[in-house]
């Protein structure tokens, strides 16, 4: 998971630095007409040697002690909402922050169980003005544990034959993450509404297996 967090952090910094270098004039327009201070925020992001890192448990404690009047109350076992993520990134850390080790009860079966038996090796990268921009985890590579988790979450193991075969016929400890492209566009342009960052429309029910 540590390497997964390192890679996610490096990706975000690298992309931002490249856009600042190659599209500086365009970003200047967004800074002037869309979101004042955009260039300074992006440059500040690139200057950070490491993003702040806080465990989910610590994040819940921070949110509870903040005395902020959140719309959604926080307690251990609840998923973080955008208002919580933005508080952590904007007010508490004043910059990007990675939250890691989430409760297993709110995460998918394929995330690897931690030794504490309560949390999984998952992480989210949060940035100011947006919230989560990257989500990832270490995957559960142990076949027997994976099969048990599928059943515990009320799923049918037979329906996941194609996934469990990836473990049955050999695997290695590994992790991965996903970067929200439209959220990246929001970060780089300062556009406040994600619907204005979608390059093409999407409709439900059109992806078949």
């Amino acid at each position: 998971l540590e390497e997964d967090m390192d890679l996610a952090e490096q990706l975000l910094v690298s992309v931002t630095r490249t856009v600042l270098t190659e599209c500086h004039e365009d970003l200047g327009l967004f800074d002037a007409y869309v979101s004042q201070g955009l260039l300074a925020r992006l440059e500040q992001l690139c200057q950070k040697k490491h993003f702040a890192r806080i465990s989910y448990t610590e994040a819940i404690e921070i949110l509870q002690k903040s005395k902020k009047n959140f719309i959604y109350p926080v307690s251990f076992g609840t998923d973080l909402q955008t208002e919580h993520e933005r508080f952590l990134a904007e007010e508490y850390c004043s910059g990007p922050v990675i939250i890691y080790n989430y409760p297993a009860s709110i995460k998918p079966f394929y995330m690897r169980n931690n030794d504490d038996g309560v949390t999984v090796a998952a992480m989210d990268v949060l940035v100011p003005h947006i919230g989560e921009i990257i989500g990832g985890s270490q995957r559960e590579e142990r076949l027997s544990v994976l099969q048990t988790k599928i059943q515990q979450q009320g799923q049918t193991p037979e329906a996941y034959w194609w996934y469990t075969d990836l473990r049955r016929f050999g695997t290695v400890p590994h992790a991965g993450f996903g970067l929200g492209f439209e959220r990246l566009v929001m970060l780089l342009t300062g556009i406040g509404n994600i619907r204005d960052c979608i390059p093409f429309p999407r409709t439900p029910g059109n992806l078949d297996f």
Side-chain angles (χ1 to χ4, degrees), residues 1 4 111 121-125 132 134-139 176-178:
L1 185 66
D4 201 36
M111 297 185 176
M123 65 89 182
D124 289 331
V125 180
E132 180 189 342
I134 292 176
S137 71
Q138 182 174 342
R139 312 309 196 210
F177 60 80

Side-chain angles (χ1 to χ4, degrees), residues 27-44:
L27 293 183
L29 292 174
F30 283 104
D31 191 1
Y33 298 106
V34 177
S35 179
Q36 292 185 356
L38 173 66
L39 283 170
R41 293 198 301 271
L42 296 179
E43 288 167 357
Q44 183 182 30

